[in-house]
Amino acid sequence: MEIRYPNGKKYNLTKVEKKTQLHYGNRGMTLEEDLNESNDYYLTNHIAVIHKKPTPVQIVSVDYPSRSAAVIKEAYFKTPSTTDYNGVYKGKYIDFEAKETKNPTSLPLSNFHEHQVNHIRQVLQCGGISFVIIRFSKTEEVYLLDGNFLLQFWERMEKGGRKSITKQEIIDNGHNIPLGINPRIDYIRVIDSLYKEVLD
Amino acid sequence: MEIRYPNGKKYNLTKVEKKTQLHYGNRGMTLEEDLNESNDYYLTNHIAVIHKKPTPVQIVSVDYPSRSAAVIKEAYFKTPSTTDYNGVYKGKYIDFEAKETKNPTSLPLSNFHEHQVNHIRQVLQCGGISFVIIRFSKTEEVYLLDGNFLLQFWERMEKGGRKSITKQEIIDNGHNIPLGINPRIDYIRVIDSLYKEVLD
């Protein structure tokens, strides 16, 4: 929104105002944007260091017109072999995948790659904290579901069962993350109560 | 090397033989290759889950000739904001950067981006295990240097001191990682003794 002084001169929003406007004005942010912003908050406040991993690409051809500006001319997206987010909180390894669905009643398991599910299994075997953050975009509800439950639902599918996790199953086995202002998705607070014994 | 039967027919190496040949035959592997192989070993044996992060690229233009084969037509390398490797060992967060130098007597600090040094500082503040693996390629010696020492040498440079860490300083403050066969660079063993209290 453009704001003008009474004399017609354009008023430039300050950084803080822009940020506030973003928070209140833009409810259309993706789960990824909300999580990146929450991670920025954790980082700035020395709470946790959690980053989204870069998208894996297979680089085929690169032009070097000058040393400082190599241009990738041909590359392909690779299937990720791990989850998207990982980092450290209170010394512990944190690892998660974020999934958003427009489906109001269930999360289709086709949202996950087999590699990612195997990665979650491996992380749990090595004592890491692993989970999925799920947003039902229609209602903006966000849940945290521990990796062990994802593995159970994945195995149910492999045995011929349903190819999705129902929203009710996510409610029953997961934890609602209330939406806040800063951070928007305060998943660390849920982790704090959920993995209390491991974290102390 | 090609191996032939007495009748001249080509002998195809088995998978295991290929692997052995790789280990004994190819001493020219880069530090990254050696580390990836070591990480594979840790993963396969359920010891630790540690991956190299994908190279961060800024994607500018993508062609979609068909859904399954999107081609990235223009992209640029981005400066990494974190270190290259991270993961989990015994529930703890492990984070490191790997640097190889042809310089026989010191590691120039120009090998690090300021972002990476800040990341190491943040990881240490959140209780993570952070270090650098340094290989002197001329002699194939590999050392592990705790992140706190890197920060000290970095600050010395910022105060106008030398722009490198001498090899002697790395020997005095770091830990030699003996080269093995499988895994090639068994840094987890060094971590085990170095961070004993944190890991139990």
Side-chain angles (χ1 to χ4, degrees):
Chain A
M1 190 181 73
E2 207 172 88
I3 300 171
R4 287 182 184 276
Y5 285 105
N7 67 2
K9 207 180 150 212
K10 201 180 151 192
Y11 175 74
N12 291 310
L13 293 177
T14 65
K15 233 177 162 179
V16 171
E17 284 169 336
K18 270 188 192 154
K19 219 154 164 78
T20 317
Q21 197 185 40
L22 190 70
H23 283 301
Y24 290 102
N26 185 354
R27 290 288 174 190
M29 283 171 83
T30 64
L31 178 56
E32 181 180 327
E33 287 167 332
D34 275 349
L35 286 171
N36 288 345
E37 208 187 75
S38 304
N39 289 339
D40 278 350
Y41 173 87
Y42 294 141
L43 188 66
T44 311
N45 292 281
H46 309 294
I47 295 167
V49 183
I50 292 159
H51 288 278
K52 186 176 187 295
K53 289 193 182 180
T55 307
V57 299
Q58 180 72 49
I59 297 166
V60 174
S61 131
V62 183
D63 261 18
Y64 297 94
S66 79
R67 225 197 141 209
S68 59
V71 189
I72 299 162
K73 283 296 192 188
E74 186 187 354
Y76 297 88
F77 293 102
K78 287 201 292 188
T79 308
S81 52
T82 68
T83 48
D84 271 356
Y85 297 85
N86 74 358
V88 57
Y89 174 57
K90 291 188 178 174
K92 291 290 288 184
Y93 178 72
I94 306 291
D95 189 294
F96 65 95
E97 185 62 28
K99 296 296 180 195
E100 193 159 15
T101 181
K102 285 176 180 165
N103 188 318
T105 55
S106 75
L107 175 71
L109 285 164
S110 56
N111 277 285
F112 296 91
H113 297 286
E114 189 161 5
H115 273 126
Q116 293 179 319
V117 177
N118 289 337
H119 174 73
I120 289 171
R121 190 178 293 117
Q122 287 156 345
V123 166
L124 290 168
Q125 280 170 350
C126 285
I129 291 175
S130 167
F131 51 89
V132 185
I133 292 180
I134 301 151
R135 168 141 81 183
F136 290 96
S137 53
K138 290 259 160 78
T139 52
E140 290 219 341
E141 287 163 281
V142 180
Y143 294 91
L144 183 151
L145 182 72
D146 183 85
N148 288 295
F149 288 110
L150 177 72
L151 295 182
Q152 282 179 26
F153 294 123
W154 188 265
E155 278 153 29
R156 177 176 71 183
M157 176 183 72
E158 286 185 326
K159 285 175 185 151
R162 55 179 301 143
K163 294 189 171 84
S164 64
I165 314 176
T166 68
K167 186 173 170 184
Q168 194 56 51
E169 286 169 336
I170 292 168
I171 293 170
D172 293 344
N173 299 294
H175 299 264
N176 181 256
I177 311 178
L179 292 191
I181 298 210
N182 205 4
R184 279 277 285 161
I185 299 177
D186 194 0
Y187 64 88
I188 287 283
R189 199 192 295 197
V190 177
I191 289 177
D192 244 342
S193 63
L194 198 54
Y195 304 95
K196 215 181 167 84
E197 299 103 66
V198 204
L199 286 163
D200 289 332
Chain B
M1 189 180 73
E2 209 172 84
I3 300 171
R4 288 182 184 275
Y5 285 105
N7 66 4
K9 207 180 151 211
K10 202 180 150 195
Y11 174 74
N12 290 311
L13 294 177
T14 65
K15 233 179 165 180
V16 170
E17 284 169 335
K18 270 188 191 155
K19 220 160 162 72
T20 317
Q21 196 186 41
L22 190 72
H23 281 304
Y24 289 103
N26 186 354
R27 290 288 175 190
M29 284 171 83
T30 64
L31 178 57
E32 181 180 326
E33 287 167 332
D34 276 348
L35 286 171
N36 288 346
E37 207 187 76
S38 304
N39 289 340
D40 278 350
Y41 174 87
Y42 294 141
L43 188 65
T44 311
N45 293 280
H46 309 293
I47 295 167
V49 183
I50 292 159
H51 288 278
K52 185 174 189 294
K53 289 193 183 180
T55 307
V57 299
Q58 180 73 48
I59 297 165
V60 174
S61 132
V62 183
D63 260 19
Y64 298 93
S66 80
R67 226 198 141 207
S68 59
V71 189
I72 299 163
K73 283 298 192 186
E74 186 186 354
Y76 297 89
F77 293 102
K78 287 201 292 189
T79 308
S81 52
T82 66
T83 48
D84 272 357
Y85 298 85
N86 73 358
V88 57
Y89 174 58
K90 291 187 178 172
K92 292 289 288 185
Y93 178 72
I94 306 291
D95 189 293
F96 65 96
E97 185 61 28
K99 295 295 181 197
E100 194 159 13
T101 181
K102 284 176 181 166
N103 188 319
T105 55
S106 74
L107 175 72
L109 285 164
S110 56
N111 277 285
F112 297 91
H113 296 287
E114 189 162 5
H115 274 127
Q116 294 179 319
V117 177
N118 289 337
H119 174 73
I120 289 170
R121 189 178 294 115
Q122 288 157 343
V123 167
L124 289 169
Q125 280 170 349
C126 285
I129 291 175
S130 166
F131 51 89
V132 186
I133 291 180
I134 301 151
R135 167 140 82 184
F136 290 96
S137 53
K138 289 260 161 78
T139 51
E140 291 219 339
E141 288 164 281
V142 181
Y143 294 91
L144 184 152
L145 183 72
D146 184 86
N148 287 296
F149 288 110
L150 178 72
L151 295 181
Q152 283 179 26
F153 294 122
W154 188 265
E155 278 154 29
R156 176 175 71 183
M157 176 183 73
E158 286 185 325
K159 284 175 186 152
R162 54 178 303 144
K163 294 190 171 85
S164 63
I165 314 175
T166 68
K167 185 173 171 184
Q168 194 55 52
E169 287 169 336
I170 292 168
I171 293 170
D172 293 345
N173 299 295
H175 299 264
N176 181 255
I177 310 178
L179 292 191
I181 297 209
N182 205 5
R184 278 278 285 162
I185 299 178
D186 194 0
Y187 63 88
I188 287 283
R189 198 191 297 197
V190 176
I191 288 177
D192 245 342
S193 63
L194 198 54
Y195 304 97
K196 215 180 167 84
E197 300 101 67
V198 204
L199 286 164
D200 291 330

